[in-house]
Amino acid sequence: MTLPCRIRAPVPGDEAGWRRLWQDYLAFYGVAVPPDVTDALWRRILEPREPVHALVAETRLGFFSAGQLVGFANYVLHAHTLGPQPVCYMEDLFVADDARGQGVGRALIEALIHKGRVEGWPRVTWHTHEANEAARALYDKIVPRDPFIRYKVKLR
């Protein structure tokens, strides 16, 4: 079953819906961030000159009320050393529990990939926790995992 939704850039009126999903995302990963960090992130997403952006999934029909946000993809565009065009890193992808398995996550990723093709980005990358089997099952249908292994040094 596919949930009819529209993928688009967020607008100021999406703040409450995005915040609800953001809090659910943080809870899923067991992460707490101070409210001022969330406030700053939302402001940055709406500011076109910032490198942080988002796409949101808005329902069109069905079980959810039309216009309800059911997912988001927060992403960062950044310079890289191998060319003049920015590359895209999808930092956060989240779909509401009751909308999972209905094509929303895939639609968000495909919309981001399409945007990248239109804007000339050389790549879109992301990562997930190795235990996140549901996400990995989706990602494996979109593109094979690459051979790179991530290393992380926590500085704080």
Side-chain angles (χ1 to χ4, degrees):
M1 176 182 197
T2 301
L3 180 67
C5 64
R6 178 170 73 119
I7 308 299
R8 60 174 176 77
V11 296
D14 293 326
E15 183 173 4
W18 178 88
R19 283 178 179 270
R20 175 184 46 82
L21 292 168
W22 176 247
Q23 291 306 313
D24 290 347
Y25 171 79
L26 295 175
F28 177 83
Y29 279 107
V31 175
V33 298
D36 62 317
V37 172
T38 296
D39 295 344
L41 174 58
W42 178 248
R43 283 192 307 273
R44 293 173 71 202
I45 285 171
L46 294 180
E47 172 53 56
R49 292 172 294 205
E50 283 283 338
V52 178
H53 306 278
L55 293 175
V56 294
E58 172 187 66
T59 58
R60 297 176 90 178
L61 311 165
F63 174 76
F64 299 91
S65 2
Q68 180 178 346
L69 295 188
V70 292
F72 66 76
N74 296 333
Y75 63 96
V76 178
L77 294 177
H78 62 90
H80 69 113
T81 58
L82 302 177
Q85 292 298 106
V87 294
C88 176
Y89 171 61
M90 182 176 66
E91 188 152 359
D92 314 302
L93 176 72
F94 186 75
V95 174
D97 284 343
D98 43 5
R100 290 194 184 147
Q102 298 181 60
V104 177
R106 183 180 198 103
L108 283 160
I109 294 169
E110 288 176 350
L112 188 57
I113 291 168
H114 176 75
K115 183 174 181 57
R117 285 188 176 121
V118 169
E119 296 189 14
W121 309 336
R123 68 179 178 258
V124 175
T125 61
W126 63 89
H127 70 269
T128 192
H129 194 280
E130 66 184 349
N132 191 345
E133 293 177 9
R136 290 180 62 195
L138 168 62
Y139 301 157
D140 289 345
K141 291 175 188 168
I142 295 171
V143 65
R145 182 174 72 161
D146 74 15
F148 286 88
I149 298 170
R150 182 179 81 137
Y151 295 88
K152 178 168 80 174
V153 175
K154 289 189 175 189
L155 302 175
R156 294 192 271 162

Coordinates of all heavy atoms in Angstrom, one line a residue, residues 72-106:
F72 N 10.0 13.5 7.0 CA 10.9 14.6 6.6 C 12.2 14.0 6.3 O 12.6 12.9 6.7 CB 11.1 15.7 7.7 CG 11.7 15.2 9.0 CD1 13.1 15.0 9.0 CD2 11.0 15.0 10.1 CE1 13.7 14.6 10.2 CE2 11.6 14.6 11.3 CZ 12.9 14.4 11.3
A73 N 13.0 14.7 5.5 CA 14.4 14.4 5.2 C 15.1 15.7 5.4 O 14.9 16.7 4.6 CB 14.5 13.9 3.8
N74 N 15.9 15.8 6.4 CA 16.8 16.9 6.6 C 18.1 16.6 5.9 O 18.7 15.6 6.1 CB 17.1 17.2 8.1 CG 15.8 17.5 8.9 OD1 14.8 18.1 8.3 ND2 15.8 17.2 10.2
Y75 N 18.6 17.6 5.2 CA 19.9 17.3 4.5 C 20.8 18.6 4.5 O 20.3 19.7 4.7 CB 19.6 16.9 3.0 CG 18.9 17.9 2.2 CD1 19.6 18.7 1.3 CD2 17.5 18.0 2.2 CE1 18.9 19.6 0.5 CE2 16.8 18.9 1.3 CZ 17.6 19.7 0.5 OH 16.9 20.6 -0.3
V76 N 22.0 18.3 4.2 CA 23.1 19.4 4.2 C 23.8 19.4 2.9 O 24.2 18.3 2.4 CB 24.1 19.1 5.4 CG1 25.2 20.2 5.3 CG2 23.4 19.1 6.7
L77 N 23.9 20.5 2.3 CA 24.7 20.7 1.1 C 26.0 21.2 1.5 O 26.1 22.2 2.2 CB 24.0 21.6 0.1 CG 22.7 21.1 -0.5 CD1 22.1 22.2 -1.4 CD2 22.9 19.8 -1.3
H78 N 27.1 20.6 1.0 CA 28.4 21.1 1.4 C 29.4 21.0 0.2 O 29.3 20.1 -0.7 CB 28.9 20.4 2.6 CG 29.1 18.9 2.5 ND1 30.3 18.3 2.0 CD2 28.2 17.9 2.6 CE1 30.1 17.0 2.0 NE2 28.9 16.7 2.3
A79 N 30.4 21.8 0.3 CA 31.5 21.8 -0.7 C 32.3 20.5 -0.5 O 32.2 19.9 0.6 CB 32.4 23.0 -0.6
H80 N 32.9 20.0 -1.5 CA 33.8 18.9 -1.4 C 35.1 19.1 -2.3 O 35.1 20.1 -3.0 CB 33.1 17.6 -1.8 CG 32.7 17.4 -3.2 ND1 33.3 16.5 -4.0 CD2 31.9 18.1 -4.0 CE1 32.8 16.6 -5.2 NE2 32.0 17.6 -5.3
T81 N 36.0 18.2 -2.2 CA 37.3 18.4 -2.8 C 37.4 17.9 -4.2 O 38.4 18.2 -4.9 CB 38.4 17.7 -1.9 OG1 38.1 16.3 -1.9 CG2 38.5 18.3 -0.5
L82 N 36.5 17.2 -4.7 CA 36.6 16.6 -6.0 C 35.8 17.3 -7.1 O 35.7 16.8 -8.2 CB 36.2 15.1 -6.0 CG 37.0 14.3 -5.0 CD1 36.5 12.9 -4.9 CD2 38.5 14.3 -5.4
G83 N 35.3 18.5 -6.9 CA 34.5 19.2 -7.9 C 33.9 20.5 -7.4 O 33.8 20.7 -6.2
P84 N 33.4 21.3 -8.3 CA 32.8 22.6 -7.9 C 31.4 22.5 -7.4 O 31.0 23.4 -6.7 CB 32.9 23.4 -9.2 CG 32.7 22.3 -10.3 CD 33.4 21.1 -9.8
Q85 N 30.6 21.5 -7.7 CA 29.2 21.4 -7.2 C 29.2 20.9 -5.8 O 30.0 20.0 -5.4 CB 28.4 20.5 -8.2 CG 28.3 21.0 -9.6 CD 27.5 22.3 -9.5 OE1 28.0 23.4 -9.7 NE2 26.2 22.3 -9.3
P86 N 28.2 21.3 -5.0 CA 28.1 20.8 -3.7 C 27.6 19.3 -3.7 O 27.0 18.9 -4.7 CB 27.0 21.7 -3.0 CG 26.2 22.2 -4.2 CD 27.2 22.3 -5.3
V87 N 27.9 18.6 -2.7 CA 27.3 17.3 -2.5 C 26.3 17.3 -1.4 O 26.3 18.2 -0.6 CB 28.4 16.2 -2.2 CG1 29.4 16.1 -3.4 CG2 29.2 16.6 -0.9
C88 N 25.4 16.3 -1.4 CA 24.3 16.3 -0.4 C 24.5 15.2 0.6 O 24.7 14.0 0.2 CB 23.0 16.1 -1.2 SG 21.6 16.0 -0.1
Y89 N 24.3 15.5 1.8 CA 24.3 14.5 2.9 C 23.0 14.5 3.5 O 22.6 15.5 4.1 CB 25.4 14.8 3.9 CG 25.3 13.9 5.1 CD1 25.4 12.5 5.0 CD2 25.1 14.4 6.4 CE1 25.3 11.7 6.1 CE2 25.0 13.6 7.5 CZ 25.1 12.2 7.4 OH 25.0 11.4 8.4
M90 N 22.2 13.4 3.4 CA 20.9 13.4 4.1 C 21.2 13.0 5.5 O 21.5 11.8 5.8 CB 20.0 12.3 3.4 CG 18.6 12.3 4.0 SD 17.5 11.1 3.2 CE 18.3 9.6 3.4
E91 N 21.0 13.9 6.4 CA 21.4 13.7 7.8 C 20.3 13.0 8.6 O 20.6 12.1 9.4 CB 21.8 15.0 8.5 CG 22.4 14.8 9.8 CD 23.3 15.8 10.3 OE1 23.6 16.8 9.5 OE2 23.8 15.7 11.4
D92 N 19.1 13.3 8.3 CA 18.0 12.8 9.1 C 16.8 12.4 8.2 O 16.4 13.2 7.3 CB 17.4 13.8 10.1 CG 18.5 14.5 10.9 OD1 19.3 13.8 11.6 OD2 18.5 15.7 10.8
L93 N 16.3 11.2 8.3 CA 15.1 10.8 7.6 C 14.2 10.1 8.6 O 14.6 9.3 9.4 CB 15.5 9.7 6.5 CG 14.3 9.1 5.7 CD1 13.7 10.2 4.8 CD2 14.7 7.9 5.0
F94 N 12.9 10.6 8.6 CA 12.0 10.0 9.5 C 10.6 10.0 8.9 O 10.2 10.9 8.3 CB 12.0 10.8 10.8 CG 11.1 10.2 11.9 CD1 11.6 9.1 12.6 CD2 9.9 10.7 12.2 CE1 10.8 8.5 13.6 CE2 9.1 10.1 13.2 CZ 9.6 9.0 13.9
V95 N 9.9 8.9 9.2 CA 8.5 8.7 8.8 C 7.7 8.4 10.1 O 8.1 7.5 10.9 CB 8.3 7.7 7.7 CG1 6.9 7.4 7.4 CG2 9.1 8.1 6.5
A96 N 6.5 9.0 10.3 CA 5.7 8.7 11.4 C 5.4 7.2 11.5 O 5.2 6.6 10.4 CB 4.4 9.5 11.3
D97 N 5.3 6.7 12.7 CA 5.1 5.3 12.9 C 3.9 4.7 12.0 O 4.0 3.7 11.4 CB 4.8 4.9 14.4 CG 6.0 5.0 15.2 OD1 7.1 4.9 14.7 OD2 5.9 5.1 16.4
D98 N 2.8 5.4 12.1 CA 1.6 4.9 11.4 C 1.6 5.1 9.9 O 0.7 4.7 9.2 CB 0.3 5.4 12.0 CG 0.3 6.9 12.3 OD1 1.3 7.6 12.0 OD2 -0.6 7.4 12.9
A99 N 2.7 5.7 9.4 CA 2.8 5.9 7.9 C 3.9 5.0 7.3 O 4.2 5.0 6.1 CB 3.1 7.4 7.6
R100 N 4.6 4.3 8.2 CA 5.7 3.5 7.7 C 5.2 2.3 6.9 O 4.2 1.8 7.1 CB 6.5 2.9 8.9 CG 7.3 4.0 9.6 CD 8.3 3.5 10.5 NE 8.9 4.7 11.2 CZ 9.4 4.7 12.4 NH1 9.3 3.7 13.1 NH2 9.8 5.8 12.9
G101 N 6.1 1.9 6.0 CA 5.8 0.8 5.1 C 4.8 1.2 4.0 O 4.3 0.3 3.3
Q102 N 4.6 2.5 3.8 CA 3.6 2.9 2.8 C 4.3 3.8 1.7 O 3.6 4.6 1.0 CB 2.5 3.7 3.5 CG 1.7 2.8 4.4 CD 0.5 3.6 5.1 OE1 -0.3 4.1 4.4 NE2 0.6 3.7 6.4
G103 N 5.6 3.7 1.6 CA 6.3 4.4 0.5 C 6.7 5.8 0.8 O 7.3 6.5 -0.1
V104 N 6.5 6.3 2.0 CA 6.8 7.7 2.3 C 8.3 7.9 2.4 O 8.9 8.9 1.8 CB 6.2 8.2 3.6 CG1 6.6 9.6 4.0 CG2 4.7 8.1 3.6
G105 N 9.1 7.0 3.0 CA 10.5 7.2 3.1 C 11.1 7.1 1.7 O 12.0 7.9 1.4
R106 N 10.7 6.1 0.9 CA 11.2 6.0 -0.4 C 10.9 7.3 -1.2 O 11.8 7.7 -2.0 CB 10.6 4.8 -1.1 CG 11.2 4.6 -2.5 CD 10.5 3.3 -3.2 NE 11.4 3.0 -4.3 CZ 12.3 2.0 -4.3 NH1 12.4 1.2 -3.2 NH2 13.0 1.8 -5.3

